[in-house]
Amino acid sequence: QAVVTQEPSLTVSPGGTVTLTCDTSTGTVTSGLYPYWFQQKPGQAPRTLIYDTTIKHSWTPARFSGSLLGGKAALTLSGAQPEDEADYYCSLTYTGARVFGGGTKLTVL
Amino acid sequence: QVQLVQSGAEMQEPGASVKVSCKASGYTFTDYYIHWVRQAPGQGLEWLGWINPKTGDTKYAQKFQGWATVTRDTSISTVYMELNRLKSDDTAVYYCARGVRTSPGFQTPYDFWGQGTLVTVPS
């Protein structure tokens, strides 16, 4: 089974910009792996921010954006807010089966 | 409004089985896939599989093939996830989530999640 890799932790200053990435053991992340990004805060169910690489849900704050960057999927947060401190998970699809990355703990400090 | 309501917490002995339910309401049950995701305490998310409620077709993560079984009862708009031969490592919160549509149309995948069901398997 493919392995999906994320940065274990990142820190961003309030108002700053940070990019989280999502890599695949199979080579390059493409739109055909349908990258999704999820946010999870302590004690809560995950919430989907981005699907199909770039598409936002209606509740996704405009400061979040998804892209492909350097062969990886990327989630960019521009203008970080304290409430963005959370765990972020990406997932990719391989012939219909989803695989989650290990998650990135984002600290806003 | 759309809701996915899961069954309550369970404690099972090692070697036993557990069956978690996910009752959908507020939309046409057969219009969307249902996925199962679990999260062990302090750990990340792990995808188990999905079911197409319209056809009953399923797909599992390689790890869970032959071990997890996802079924549905369309008469009561409910999906079930059964995991057998439980080990202490299976202690986790199990979530169901609504996936993509089963037919072409505007997609909003993983837009609704169940509240999670804690399954505890003592060591």
Side-chain angles (χ1 to χ4, degrees):
Chain A
Q1 179 172 291
V3 175
V4 177
T5 304
Q6 300 180 243
E7 299 88 357
S9 64
L10 290 170
T11 300
V12 62
S13 300
T17 296
V18 65
T19 297
L20 289 65
T21 66
C22 177
D23 201 0
T24 177
S25 62
T26 62
T28 299
V29 177
T30 66
S31 58
L33 294 183
Y34 301 98
Y36 287 18
W37 289 94
F38 302 83
Q39 178 192 64
Q40 188 181 34
K41 296 183 179 179
Q44 296 182 15
R47 181 176 75 148
T48 315
L49 295 177
I50 301 284
Y51 61 97
D52 294 353
T53 309
T54 62
I55 304 175
K56 300 179 188 183
H57 277 294
S58 58
W59 53 79
T60 304
R63 58 185 180 273
F64 289 95
S65 62
S67 65
L68 295 177
L69 196 65
K72 302 178 184 181
L75 176 70
T76 299
L77 170 58
S78 303
Q81 302 297 310
E83 61 265 29
D84 299 328
E85 186 161 296
D87 293 326
Y88 292 83
Y89 295 91
C90 75
S91 78
L92 305 174
T93 298
Y94 302 86
T95 57
R98 286 235 145 240
V99 179
F100 281 94
T104 297
K105 183 174 185 62
L106 182 65
T107 301
V108 180
L109 188 62
Chain B
Q1 73 282 20
V2 174
Q3 281 192 301
L4 298 175
V5 178
Q6 299 183 223
S7 49
E10 299 245 16
M11 180 175 288
Q12 298 289 345
E13 291 299 310
S17 298
V18 69
K19 194 170 187 177
V20 180
S21 67
C22 172
K23 182 171 176 59
S25 61
Y27 72 98
T28 302
F29 176 65
T30 53
D31 277 358
Y32 292 83
Y33 286 75
I34 293 290
H35 293 238
W36 286 92
V37 175
R38 76 176 185 179
Q39 186 170 36
Q43 303 300 309
L45 303 175
E46 183 173 29
W47 184 81
L48 278 70
W50 55 246
I51 187 166
N52 178 335
K54 182 178 289 186
T55 64
D57 290 343
T58 54
K59 178 85 174 183
Y60 300 98
Q62 191 173 356
K63 172 179 177 177
F64 293 99
Q65 285 175 1
W67 181 27
T69 305
V70 179
T71 56
R72 94 293 193 206
D73 184 339
T74 57
S75 69
I76 55 171
S77 300
T78 299
V79 172
Y80 302 93
M81 189 286 302
E82 184 171 20
L83 195 62
N84 51 40
R85 305 189 305 275
L86 290 168
K87 308 181 295 290
S88 57
D89 287 353
D90 298 316
T91 294
V93 175
Y94 289 75
Y95 294 101
C96 61
R98 197 172 79 161
V100 297
R101 284 181 176 269
T102 55
S103 303
F106 181 68
Q107 301 286 1
T108 56
Y110 281 90
D111 52 355
F112 289 93
W113 292 68
Q115 81 276 21
T117 297
L118 175 62
V119 174
T120 302
V121 185
S123 53

